[in-house]
């Protein structure tokens, strides 16, 4: 019950890593607002899964890659208490293709969907944290942004940007008592990674120390730690959860 009565916002919060993060906070007593873009079925499912937990999950359909969508999410979460305690930026997509054959649409879509939500949600989320001079932001990145992955130049660029963004924002937000960190995920068993080519997945797994794919719950555990008071002196850091791949 570490997050009892806390207001938590999770973008991309109804599937994959985001779903696991939303449920993890709800188990700890948090009031979770889980943003999603289109999959109503997944939103209903995660809401049902949260029934009976100490906290709750409220799904909100909105496009956080736009200022309007992000503002709607943040305002809805802060409506009752006027503040937000935790913001987890997890929304993102992949459109893999070798660069020489990549379309401008695929490049633009990934950059827009993976980077813009960081800007919009953090901008408005910070404003709800600044008054209390406290809060925690956790950005979900990927090892593709650290070591690079073939066929993912657009995705790797966006996830590398998330790490740099985290470091810069941590310097800005620190004097206001707000911590900003990132969780850098390896190959995790989600719908998104299921679309990767099998040989690419096997190549990455072979390079890992543990020799297996990770679970969304293992990433969620790192997010919970960084958002908690146990990490009160940690900011501007990127914790890699990848079974020893990097």
């Amino acid at each position: 019950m570490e997050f009892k009565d806390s207001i938590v916002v999770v973008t991309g919060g109804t599937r994959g890593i985001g779903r696991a993060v939303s449920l993890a906070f709800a188990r700890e007593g948090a009031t979770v607002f889980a943003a999603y873009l289109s999959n109503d079925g997944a939103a209903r499912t995660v809401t049902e899964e949260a029934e009976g937990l100490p906290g709750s999950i409220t799904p909100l359909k909105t496009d956080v890659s736009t200022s309007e969508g992000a503002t709607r999410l943040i305002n809805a979460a802060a409506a009752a208490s006027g503040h937000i305690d935790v913001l987890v930026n997890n929304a993102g997509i992949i459109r893999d293709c070798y660069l020489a054959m990549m379309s401008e649409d695929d490049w633009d879509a990934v950059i827009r969907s993976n980077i813009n939500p960081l800007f919009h949600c953090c901008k408005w989320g910070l404003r709800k944290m600044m008054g209390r001079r406290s809060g925690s932001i956790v950005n979900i990145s990927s090892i593709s942004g650290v070591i690079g992955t073939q066929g993912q130049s657009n995705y790797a660029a966006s996830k590398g940007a998330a790490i740099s963004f985290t470091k810069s924002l941590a310097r800005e937000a620190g004097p206001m008592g707000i911590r900003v960190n990132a969780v850098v995920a390896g190959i995790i068993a989600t719908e998104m990674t299921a679309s990767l080519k099998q040989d690419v997945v096997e190549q990455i797994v072979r390079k890992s120390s543990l020799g297996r794919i990770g679970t969304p719950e293992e990433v969620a555990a790192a997010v919970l730690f960084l958002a908690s008071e146990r990490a009160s002196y940690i900011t501007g850091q990127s914790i890699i959860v990848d079974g020893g791949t990097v």
Side-chain angles (χ1 to χ4, degrees):
M1 297 296 290
E2 187 169 6
F3 291 93
K4 186 177 185 297
D5 300 325
S6 294
I7 305 299
V8 177
V9 174
V10 183
T11 67
T14 61
R15 293 193 296 169
I17 291 174
R19 169 188 165 276
V21 170
S22 295
L23 287 169
F25 276 108
R27 291 189 189 98
E28 293 289 336
T31 299
V32 180
F33 290 83
Y36 72 102
L37 184 60
S38 60
N39 194 322
D40 296 325
R44 286 192 298 269
T45 298
V46 74
T47 304
E48 293 168 359
E49 288 178 308
E51 292 178 1
L53 296 179
S56 63
I57 297 177
T58 300
L60 184 63
K61 190 173 186 177
T62 188
D63 183 0
V64 293
S65 69
T66 69
S67 179
E68 295 78 12
T71 303
R72 178 169 172 258
L73 169 66
I74 297 300
N75 286 342
S81 61
H83 72 276
I84 290 172
D85 298 289
V86 179
L87 168 62
V88 181
N89 287 297
N90 171 69
I93 64 171
I94 57 173
R95 289 193 181 178
D96 293 352
C97 185
Y98 287 104
L99 186 65
M101 297 173 284
M102 184 177 293
S103 69
E104 289 187 22
D105 285 344
D106 284 347
W107 174 269
D108 290 341
V110 170
I111 297 302
R112 180 180 65 252
S113 299
N114 295 5
I115 297 181
N116 286 5
L118 291 175
F119 167 65
H120 294 304
C121 291
C122 285
K123 176 182 177 179
W124 299 111
L126 276 172
R127 296 186 180 190
K128 301 300 183 183
M129 295 178 176
M130 288 165 59
R132 287 160 53 98
R133 298 187 67 81
S134 69
S136 177
I137 297 172
V138 182
N139 300 319
I140 306 301
S141 183
S142 164
I143 59 171
S144 290
V146 178
I147 62 175
T149 306
Q150 61 185 22
Q152 286 193 328
S153 57
N154 49 2
Y155 184 72
S158 71
K159 291 305 181 179
I163 294 172
S164 299
F165 178 91
T166 296
K167 293 177 180 180
S168 294
L169 187 58
R171 293 190 179 276
E172 292 183 21
M176 296 179 285
I178 301 166
R179 298 182 298 106
V180 187
N181 292 289
V183 171
V184 181
I187 294 293
I188 307 298
T190 65
E191 292 179 21
M192 182 180 288
T193 55
S195 66
L196 295 176
K197 293 181 179 179
Q198 188 59 32
D199 61 330
V200 173
V201 174
E202 291 175 355
Q203 180 182 4
I204 295 174
V205 169
R206 281 196 301 269
K207 293 179 179 179
S208 71
S209 298
L210 297 183
R212 65 173 176 84
I213 292 176
T215 68
E217 289 73 22
E218 287 171 318
V219 179
V223 173
L224 240 65
F225 166 69
L226 287 174
S228 75
E229 284 303 309
R230 287 171 289 172
S232 59
Y233 199 51
I234 300 176
T235 193
Q237 302 305 306
S238 299
I239 292 183
I240 299 178
V241 182
D242 71 342
T245 304
V246 173

